[in-house]
Amino acid sequence: MKVVAAVCLVTGLLTAGCADRQAPAAGTTPPAPASADVALTLAEVQEIVGAPGLENRMDLFAPREDHSLDDRVSKSCRGLVNQDDEFGKNWVNYRYLRYSGASNLGVSQSIAVYPDHEAARQLFDQVRRNLKECNANYPTEVFGSVYTLSALDENTSMAVYPDSVNGPGSVSFYHREGRFVVQVSAQHLSTSPRVAKAVLAKITDKIRSST
């Protein structure tokens, strides 16, 4: 059970060339950017990871609804374990990709776009509260050893899960960029943030290029 639960836990650019394109009328909401356009392909992620080889194992356009652990974890931890609890209901579009290899190792991207910057900020603030509260009352009997939590800046948090009998440790980044809220996890590759940080950096670059 701990193996499955741990994987669940650490487990989201339109261009135009018309010279006479008009800006949106005052008071209107600009079109929502597409989460799918900023997600990294398998080839892009594989280039960052190097060995071992990965395969495309999961591709979703809405948060997964799996509440099988609800009666075993707190509300704040459910806000991290359950994708639909983590990303809420008012996202405009969403993409989740998981590229996996042997022994539960892999890289996942959850990317959600919200109606405006304030909606994204409110959602991200709730995620950060959940990270702190779940960390303080972590269900080790379900997930094993507790993660180490770091707030890197006001828009980025990092959770590092230690090595265990299930394999090398894992790293998850949680980040807000404008209307986007992004979670990137590198599962059972290492306690080093290198892979997850590099994936997040490329996603962030794509978001900034698209807005």
Side-chain angles (χ1 to χ4, degrees), residues 6 30 45 53 84 88 93 116 130 144 146 153 155 160 164 186-187 208:
V45 172
D84 57 330
N93 59 76
D116 50 45
N130 289 339
V146 66
D153 57 52
N155 292 314
V160 178
S164 71
Q187 298 110 355
R208 292 173 179 170

Side-chain angles (χ1 to χ4, degrees), residues 85-168:
D85 287 336
E86 179 178 356
F87 290 96
K89 304 297 184 183
N90 69 329
W91 46 268
V92 177
N93 59 76
Y94 176 88
R95 190 74 184 276
Y96 173 82
L97 290 166
R98 176 175 166 81
Y99 306 135
S100 303
S103 303
N104 293 321
L105 63 83
V107 175
S108 64
Q109 310 164 69
S110 299
I111 306 171
V113 180
Y114 292 87
D116 50 45
H117 288 218
E118 179 61 19
R121 185 193 64 78
Q122 291 181 8
L123 188 285
F124 185 71
D125 286 348
Q126 182 60 59
V127 170
R128 297 189 78 171
R129 286 192 292 271
N130 289 339
L131 283 165
K132 291 179 181 178
E133 294 172 8
C134 183
N135 183 259
N137 298 281
Y138 195 70
T140 55
E141 72 282 1
V142 179
F143 297 126
S145 300
V146 66
Y147 54 88
T148 299
L149 179 62
S150 302
L152 305 183
D153 57 52
E154 64 179 1
N155 292 314
T156 313
S157 291
M158 179 179 69
V160 178
Y161 298 80
D163 297 346
S164 71
V165 294
N166 300 326

